[in-house]
Amino acid sequence: MDYQTFQPDAELDAIISCYWTLEVPASDDHQKQRIVPDGTIEMAFILGDDIKRYVSDDEFIIQPRAMVLGQITTPFFIEPLGYVNTFAIRFYPHSFASLVSSPIKNLVNTETPLAELFGEKTADDLTQAIVQASDTSSRIAIIEAFLKSKLNEQQVVDNIIQTTIDALIASSGNTPIAAITKQDLAQRRRLERKFQQQVGLSPKQLGKVIRLQQALTMLLNNKDDKLMDIAYASKYYDQAHFIRDFKEFTGVSPKEFLGHKHMELSSLFYQ
């Protein structure tokens, strides 16, 4: 698997975490891959062969070739049908809301074709430009011009959303929401409502996902560490709390995650 990341233009680094590309040669032995929640929203262009996404053990859909994958709250299983070549944009949890008028909560746990968000002609023109571009740097230039034009059309993300996400990221998901809202029940309700509109998750859910990212990174890069040490470093109450949250978002235990054939892609992302 050839996975690469690229940083955005300075004008867009407040809304884009990174651009990424993934290439995997065609094979008769492609395995299902489990994609775990990471708290981000992604816009992806499939430039290679189609990719299945399983909706049950034996039922699947074919992913749109130009789509937005909203927040996911349960693991997704995907399986390529041949050569994998993907170009994608990874947005911060709150930032995609500044590009569209559709409620972000409508994007949760699903792939939404670009045409549904930006209109058929705009989506087709953008997709064709991305497909026909000769290399990644050209694709980045095309998508950055598009995103800058969309930013000028949409309202700025609410300050309370930005403040909360900054606090959660800085604390690896461990800042209590009550501390952010200063025990103000009305402000907390407003924050919950704004989060559903602009992030697609509640503040508590996002905090749990961000904390899991830290634990996943430690698990993959420090395989000799004990689970109890990882749980303590990630500020879980105890090892049982860590394992419970891990299973909620990945579908497996931490020990099952390591070296599992369905986890190669997720492991690549977090390493």
Side-chain angles (χ1 to χ4, degrees), residues 59-263:
E59 296 179 314
F60 62 86
I61 62 170
I62 299 296
Q63 291 189 316
R65 297 188 68 80
M67 63 179 172
V68 169
L69 178 60
Q71 296 280 3
I72 63 173
T73 57
T74 58
F76 270 23
F77 277 104
I78 64 171
E79 182 181 351
L81 296 179
Y83 168 55
V84 175
N85 185 7
T86 300
F87 169 70
I89 304 94
R90 182 173 295 144
F91 294 91
Y92 289 114
H94 63 290
S95 58
F96 193 72
S98 62
L99 301 168
V100 295
S101 56
S102 304
I104 297 302
K105 63 182 180 181
N106 293 348
L107 309 181
V108 174
N109 288 327
T110 191
E111 302 93 335
T112 303
L114 290 193
E116 291 185 18
L117 296 171
F118 301 111
E120 203 153 320
K121 184 179 187 313
T122 298
D124 285 349
D125 289 348
L126 176 63
T127 302
Q128 287 304 310
I130 293 292
V131 169
Q132 293 170 11
S134 58
D135 53 30
T136 300
S137 61
S138 299
R139 292 189 177 104
I140 290 174
I142 291 165
I143 202 68
E144 290 196 332
F146 172 77
L147 295 176
K148 288 174 183 178
S149 72
K150 295 314 256 179
L151 279 174
N152 293 333
E153 299 172 7
Q154 301 295 333
Q155 64 182 30
V156 176
V157 174
D158 195 298
N159 185 58
I160 191 173
I161 299 291
Q162 182 72 63
T163 300
T164 301
I165 290 173
D166 288 347
L168 289 173
I169 291 174
S171 66
S172 297
N174 289 294
T175 298
I177 304 305
I180 295 171
T181 59
K182 297 179 172 45
Q183 303 289 348
D184 184 326
L185 185 58
Q187 187 179 27
R188 178 156 188 161
R189 286 173 177 164
R190 177 173 177 264
L191 179 63
E192 295 275 353
R193 186 173 64 253
K194 291 283 188 180
F195 251 72
Q196 289 295 338
Q197 292 171 346
Q198 298 186 18
V199 178
L201 302 176
S202 70
K204 183 177 179 179
Q205 282 178 306
L206 181 62
K208 288 174 72 173
V209 170
I210 290 172
R211 178 164 53 182
L212 179 67
Q213 305 315 302
Q214 173 176 294
L216 267 173
T217 301
M218 292 177 63
L219 183 68
L220 288 166
N221 293 296
N222 302 281
K223 294 184 174 66
D224 294 332
D225 285 5
K226 295 180 180 178
L227 292 184
M228 185 172 65
D229 294 336
I230 294 175
Y232 177 76
S234 303
K235 295 186 170 56
Y236 287 95
Y237 298 129
D238 52 31
Q239 184 173 323
H241 180 209
F242 169 46
I243 293 173
R244 185 170 63 251
D245 271 19
F246 197 97
K247 284 185 174 180
E248 176 186 345
F249 288 110
T250 69
V252 295
S253 71
K255 288 184 177 179
E256 289 173 315
F257 185 90
L258 288 173
H260 197 293
K261 64 182 180 181
H262 294 324
M263 302 300 185

Side-chain angles (χ1 to χ4, degrees), residues 6-101:
F6 307 85
Q7 292 309 299
D9 177 272
E11 192 176 336
L12 294 172
D13 64 5
I15 69 165
I16 294 174
S17 169
C18 68
Y19 304 104
W20 60 265
T21 60
L22 177 68
E23 281 196 78
V24 185
S27 169
D28 294 330
D29 189 34
H30 277 308
Q31 301 283 344
K32 283 184 183 179
Q33 293 293 319
R34 188 190 303 253
I35 306 299
V36 302
D38 66 358
T40 67
I41 293 176
E42 297 192 324
M43 180 187 295
F45 298 87
I46 296 174
L47 308 174
D49 293 321
D50 286 337
I51 297 175
K52 296 178 181 178
R53 199 259 292 178
Y54 284 84
V55 295
S56 69
D57 287 343
D58 52 11
E59 296 179 314
F60 62 86
I61 62 170
I62 299 296
Q63 291 189 316
R65 297 188 68 80
M67 63 179 172
V68 169
L69 178 60
Q71 296 280 3
I72 63 173
T73 57
T74 58
F76 270 23
F77 277 104
I78 64 171
E79 182 181 351
L81 296 179
Y83 168 55
V84 175
N85 185 7
T86 300
F87 169 70
I89 304 94
R90 182 173 295 144
F91 294 91
Y92 289 114
H94 63 290
S95 58
F96 193 72
S98 62
L99 301 168
V100 295
S101 56

